[in-house]
Amino acid sequence: MWDRNQMAARAAMELEDGTYVNLGIGIPTLVPNFIPEGVTVTLQSENGMLGMGPFPIAGEEDADLINAGKQTITEVAETAYFDSATSFGMIRGGKIAMAILGAMEVAQNGDLANWMIPGKLVKGMGGAMDLVAGVGRVVVVMDHTNKHGVSKLIPACTLPLTGKGVVDRVITNLGVLDVVEGGLKIVELAEGVTEDELRSATEATIVD
Amino acid sequence: MKKIYGSASEALDGILFDGMKIAAGGFGLCGIPELLLAAIRDAGTKELTFASNNAGVDDFGIGILLQTRQVKKMISSYVGENAEFMRQYLSGELELEFTPQGTLAERMRSAGCGIPGFYTRTGVGTVIAEGKEEKVFNGETYILEEGIYADLSIVKAWKADESGNLVFRKTARNFNPPAAMCGKVCVVEVEEIVPTGSLDPDSIHLPGVYVHRIIQGDHEKRIEQRTTRAA
């Protein structure tokens, strides 16, 4: 079974050299720690920045320089800034190759739910709906089951959708699955996980 | 025509009215028009609708107008980090129109460009699409979103020249240009007003045609999440 860092490391293997990528909050923020040698990607922050650097050292925080999670960050040599309309223009326009993001539920047809639990505190979708509708490829990184042990990979989402048929690949603590015609296809098993274990933890249809 | 005013209150004089719609720049607490928001609180204008990506925190940003119950409705993409907002929303005192972040930015930009509506894939198949016109282009479904026409734009820039040309700084640009474009009147607060001619004309982020009134002031520029790494 993979831990958070191993899931992030596996997600980093999805990155293609020379592309522009958007990372969501949670485990995806660990992905830059594992970018493979020889691969250079430019990170987009949807509040208006390409070329996102690491957190600043203490004392060098700048109130005018934050990421989409409102954390203080730094710029790098190729950094460019722009307004929110331009930022989502490049997202909607398909210029951002991939988004790696977390999820509450993924359905076997690629439906994604990650913004709202009815009856609970609703904070909003932020830029998630725009990202999943616009980027070239959507990779979800999440635990395979919720804290009650219930599968998060299901036949149909029960929560309000963020996007319909938008997910391409899911990386969980148990392995890697692709959304294909008719269901999910196992691409890879995490270390120490058997195919039977992954199948029994998955409510969604798995196709061969 | 002179665009520079002495204070936020003077710059808003004669513009504010109860029930008006205001487009505000900023993302989280970054690049928000904090001085103009304080002046609107002091003016006591009520029943306000705000188009703003966020609603600030309890004691800063639009949060200060929630405390005084001056806000009737928010058009936003994300409203976490604000307990008073949630209390008013859950008790039905405050209306909320959730709009995806990119759709919100484009609703402002397009209105400012004279485009009353546009089709987008964002939100297709979700609650956001309910009640909206759908149209298929090249085999893909899109929904119709409408521009936001505001009575007033309030924005924060880094520098302005005396003619109203604006320069923003780093990610504090965010929603400020689209918010500035969609209002009948645009009031801007800046950290520094410089003489006309001293900004590089090729490096203006928002031309003065969009800017009607300018004030200079001291900004708190509060940091919402101070994250650092080891030196």
Side-chain angles (χ1 to χ4, degrees):
Chain A
M1 197 144 62
W2 286 328
D3 63 19
R4 287 165 59 88
N5 279 306
Q6 288 168 311
M7 289 159 71
R10 179 59 189 80
M13 290 170 61
E14 302 294 322
L15 300 172
E16 284 185 42
D17 189 36
T19 57
Y20 294 82
V21 177
N22 185 292
L23 303 177
I25 55 171
I27 297 173
T29 59
L30 300 172
V31 171
N33 300 332
F34 302 100
I35 297 174
E37 211 172 303
V39 173
T40 303
V41 294
T42 303
L43 301 179
Q44 200 236 22
S45 191
E46 65 265 28
N47 53 319
M49 178 184 200
L50 277 169
M52 188 171 30
F55 294 151
I57 58 173
E60 294 188 358
E61 307 94 319
D62 186 336
D64 290 338
L65 183 44
I66 63 169
N67 63 19
K70 287 133 191 168
Q71 299 169 309
T72 47
I73 48 161
T74 54
E75 58 190 27
V76 294
E78 72 267 30
T79 294
Y81 299 108
F82 33 83
D83 67 70
S84 298
T86 306
S87 182
F88 283 93
M90 65 183 73
I91 289 168
R92 219 185 285 106
K95 314 301 177 189
I96 304 299
M98 183 169 29
I100 302 177
L101 57 162
M104 297 171 185
E105 294 177 341
V106 173
Q108 62 198 37
N109 64 353
D111 288 359
L112 169 71
N114 74 351
W115 77 281
M116 178 184 185
I117 301 175
K120 292 216 176 157
L121 221 50
V122 181
K123 291 186 169 186
M125 73 291 285
M129 284 190 183
D130 309 274
L131 278 160
V132 299
V135 301
R137 183 170 158 79
V138 173
V139 174
V140 166
V141 183
M142 65 175 191
D143 283 330
H144 207 92
T145 56
N146 67 20
K147 56 177 181 259
H148 306 295
V150 177
S151 177
K152 293 168 73 172
L153 292 162
I154 48 185
C157 288
T158 62
L159 297 170
L161 296 185
T162 307
K164 201 156 180 48
V166 293
V167 176
D168 295 290
R169 174 166 281 194
V170 186
I171 297 167
T172 77
N173 50 328
L174 302 185
V176 181
L177 301 99
D178 276 351
V179 177
V180 298
E181 193 68 38
L184 303 177
K185 185 177 166 62
I186 299 172
V187 175
E188 196 176 319
L189 296 166
E191 283 144 23
V193 175
T194 66
E195 188 172 326
D196 283 347
E197 284 170 339
L198 187 145
R199 281 176 179 271
S200 68
T202 308
E203 272 182 41
T205 300
I206 293 179
V207 297
D208 294 318
Chain B
M1 196 185 84
K2 189 177 159 297
K3 293 186 177 180
I4 297 167
Y5 286 72
S7 70
S9 302
E10 282 174 40
L12 292 170
D13 188 39
I15 294 175
L16 301 176
F17 61 91
D18 290 350
M20 73 189 305
K21 186 186 285 186
I22 301 174
F27 180 91
L29 301 182
C30 181
I32 59 171
E34 53 181 272
L35 305 175
L36 292 162
L37 288 168
I40 292 170
R41 178 197 54 198
D42 295 344
T45 319
K46 297 186 297 288
E47 302 280 304
L48 299 172
T49 293
F50 268 96
S52 168
N53 190 54
N54 312 95
V57 293
D58 282 323
D59 63 342
F60 200 58
I62 290 174
I64 63 170
L65 299 172
L66 294 167
Q67 286 182 344
T68 52
R69 312 285 177 88
Q70 287 171 262
V71 183
K72 180 182 72 176
K73 181 179 177 180
M74 293 292 309
I75 305 171
S76 304
S77 84
Y78 190 85
V79 293
E81 321 355 310
N82 193 322
E84 178 61 16
F85 183 100
M86 279 301 161
R87 196 199 62 69
Q88 289 184 25
Y89 173 61
L90 294 172
S91 70
E93 293 165 57
L94 182 67
E95 283 176 63
L96 173 60
E97 180 183 333
F98 269 134
T99 300
Q101 195 174 137
T103 297
L104 178 61
E106 190 61 20
R107 289 179 66 192
M108 293 179 180
R109 193 203 70 87
S110 66
C113 295
I115 298 169
F118 58 94
Y119 290 97
T120 177
R121 282 202 308 280
T122 301
V124 170
T126 76
V127 294
I128 294 304
E130 285 171 11
K132 289 175 185 160
E133 183 195 322
E134 291 190 353
K135 194 172 169 84
V136 175
F137 295 89
N138 299 319
E140 284 235 48
T141 303
Y142 293 72
I143 54 173
L144 178 65
E145 293 281 2
E146 294 189 8
I148 293 172
Y149 293 86
D151 298 301
L152 168 66
S153 303
I154 54 171
V155 311
K156 153 79 173 52
W158 181 36
K159 292 180 181 179
D161 71 15
E162 292 156 327
S163 76
N165 292 320
L166 302 183
V167 176
F168 300 90
R169 187 170 175 276
K170 303 184 187 285
T171 57
R173 193 182 320 184
N174 57 59
F175 273 86
N176 282 297
M181 293 164 74
C182 74
K184 286 187 197 124
V185 182
C186 174
V187 183
V188 181
E189 59 181 70
V190 298
E191 295 175 45
E192 187 183 0
I193 297 172
V194 300
T196 298
S198 61
L199 295 174
D200 173 6
D202 264 334
S203 299
I204 304 293
H205 296 143
L206 191 75
V209 67
Y210 295 106
V211 174
H212 304 100
R213 300 182 177 192
I214 311 162
I215 58 153
Q216 179 178 322
D218 293 326
H219 291 82
E220 177 184 338
K221 293 173 65 168
R222 194 183 293 186
I223 291 176
E224 199 161 343
Q225 291 201 49
R226 192 177 293 273
T227 44
T228 58
R229 70 186 141 103

